[in-house]
Amino acid sequence: MQTRHPVLGCIADDFTGATDLANNLVRSGLRAVQTIGVPSDAAAPIDADVIVVALKSRTIPAAEAVEQSLVALRWLQSQGVAQIYFKYCSTFDSTPQGNIGPVTDALLDALHGPGNGFTIVCPAFPENQRTVFKGHLFVGDLLLSDSGMRQHPLTPMTDANLVRVMQSQTQRKVDLVPYGIVSQGATAIAARFAALQAQGVGVAVVDAINNADLMEIGKALAGMPLVTAGSGIAIGLPQNWSNRAEQAGIGADRLPQATGLCAVVSGSCSQTTNGQVLDFRQQGRPAFAVDPLAIAAGDDVVGHALAWARPLLPQGPVLIYATAESTAVQAVQAKLGVARAGELVEDALSRIAVGLVDLGVHQLVVAGGETSGAVVQALGVQRMAIGPQIDPGVPWTAVQSAQWPNKTLHLALKSGNFGTVDFFTKAFALLKATS
Ligand code: ADP
């Protein structure tokens, strides 16, 4: 295959979000490389159509998120990309201070000059039940603010009106491209972009309720220097480089053969993940609960978890989880504080993941965006090849780590809200069938 330079450069605000985005682009036949953070080896050219830089910037202070995103932007520009894609969660997760607005402002300022430029906001991902209508984000049949997201441990979302949420975070004027325009197709959407820009609008929330809408919006985004969105909008973009998608063809998702033992580490407390943990346990499979208060009390929870896992691993996948229902999470947070509880659990789970790999686990599912970020950093992963999709938004990936130079690790990073109830077992079956 002929070497090519990347055309699309993506900055994702968490690690599961990055693989979710890369997955949607690979499904369209584009070759994608995902980097963990900005590579220090700036000179090495990347042979791919798309580069996704995975940051862990969703919940850090806004100034740091801006700084990291600008470093990523400069590196992607040095790779020659024509379009930048700032990827956030399809439930628009942001802290009350909000990082999505400040990062969008900083990227627009860098690309167009202070206060200038125009971009969209669109977290819609209809295949995963995320739709935007009249500027309001729906999760299935519920408004975002009525969904489980209102109880998220780090980024509770209590307002579904994206125009209002984004306006509270950005210096620019925010308006809407309503469904009545989107349903007329790409030409009407592009005309609305131009009209809004002429009125001094800098950010347009775009309605979208199905994949056909994503394709029309995608066409209208051709040539826009910055796109901000969930991963769904990525479904509509590759058609703008259709010559490349045809060349890459089938097989863009092929991974090396999977080997070794299987495990799941779960730090997500979403309703979806709670259901997946319950399903795994109800199947009679081995599961170990990590107690955040025991970690805080100084118990060797990591050691206990690994000693528990060692004899069980040869018989099939094991699950080690901190996942809990919202009342239990709130009780822990009341004692430890939200940030400290999150850090303690992420630290313990990432050390457990490292220990599992040392025990021979080469196939690892990680549940939770922040949790995945911590695990991937602890494993020393730098680049990931994107493989077959397990469920919308979650592919298997193959990674090399300097810590285990002779092993290929297969990782699946599952955002809390994603995956069917049997995800923790079917993921391994799919990898076996496809590699
Ligand atoms: P999701 O993808 O569902 O948002 P994340 O991993 O991003 O999952 O966020 C979950 C956060 O909750 C993490 O910081 C994790 O460490 C923390 N957490 C996990 N289990 C518990 C628990 N039992 N009590 C308090 N916090 C927890």
Side-chain angles (χ1 to χ4, degrees), residues 379-382 400-405:
L379 294 176
V381 174
Q382 287 163 335
Q400 301 284 341
S401 161
Q403 289 170 46
W404 298 278

Side-chain angles (χ1 to χ4, degrees), residues 110-357:
L111 288 163
H112 298 274
N116 295 329
F118 178 86
T119 190
I120 66 155
V121 157
C122 187
F125 190 2
E127 276 177 275
N128 265 345
Q129 315 304 319
R130 312 292 189 264
T131 53
V132 181
F133 188 65
K134 294 187 187 293
H136 286 67
L137 179 55
F138 289 83
V139 177
D141 295 331
L142 299 175
L143 282 168
L144 174 69
S145 44
D146 292 329
S147 77
M149 279 306 297
R150 70 177 184 274
Q151 285 153 342
H152 190 280
L154 304 176
T155 53
M157 298 302 291
T158 53
D159 189 358
N161 182 328
L162 294 178
V163 175
R164 197 161 51 207
V165 174
M166 190 62 181
Q167 191 64 80
S168 73
Q169 298 187 11
T170 171
Q171 305 293 318
R172 287 170 167 79
K173 197 169 151 196
V174 183
D175 209 319
L176 177 68
V177 180
Y179 197 69
I181 302 278
V182 172
S183 61
Q184 291 173 42
T187 310
I189 299 166
R192 175 78 174 181
F193 289 162
L196 288 175
Q197 211 175 347
Q199 292 163 25
V201 171
V203 179
V205 174
V206 183
D207 279 356
I209 61 172
N210 56 43
N211 272 10
D213 300 333
L214 301 181
M215 298 308 282
E216 293 305 312
I217 296 166
K219 279 185 225 161
L221 293 172
M224 188 179 284
L226 175 69
V227 173
T228 91
S231 65
I233 283 293
I235 292 166
L237 285 184
Q239 62 184 323
N240 297 332
W241 299 287
S242 56
N243 54 336
R244 287 173 175 252
E246 277 159 22
Q247 278 173 38
I250 299 161
D253 67 352
R254 192 161 302 145
L255 293 183
Q257 176 98 41
T259 59
L261 304 170
C262 304
V264 182
V265 170
S266 178
S268 159
C269 297
S270 70
Q271 289 172 352
T272 304
T273 307
N274 270 287
Q276 290 159 340
V277 167
L278 189 63
D279 181 77
F280 190 90
R281 293 172 54 206
Q282 283 177 340
Q283 289 183 39
R285 293 178 182 273
F288 181 99
V290 167
D291 175 5
L293 297 178
I295 306 172
D299 286 3
D300 181 16
V301 173
V302 173
H304 294 321
L306 293 171
W308 167 86
R310 183 193 292 267
L312 298 169
L313 279 166
Q315 293 149 44
V318 303
L319 165 65
I320 297 177
Y321 66 101
T323 305
E325 299 285 351
S326 60
T327 42
V329 173
Q330 280 159 14
V332 166
Q333 289 178 333
K335 289 206 176 93
L336 302 178
V338 174
R340 179 143 182 270
E343 281 164 21
L344 282 178
V345 173
E346 287 173 36
D347 174 68
L349 293 182
S350 53
R351 286 190 288 129
I352 288 168
V354 170
L356 287 170
V357 176

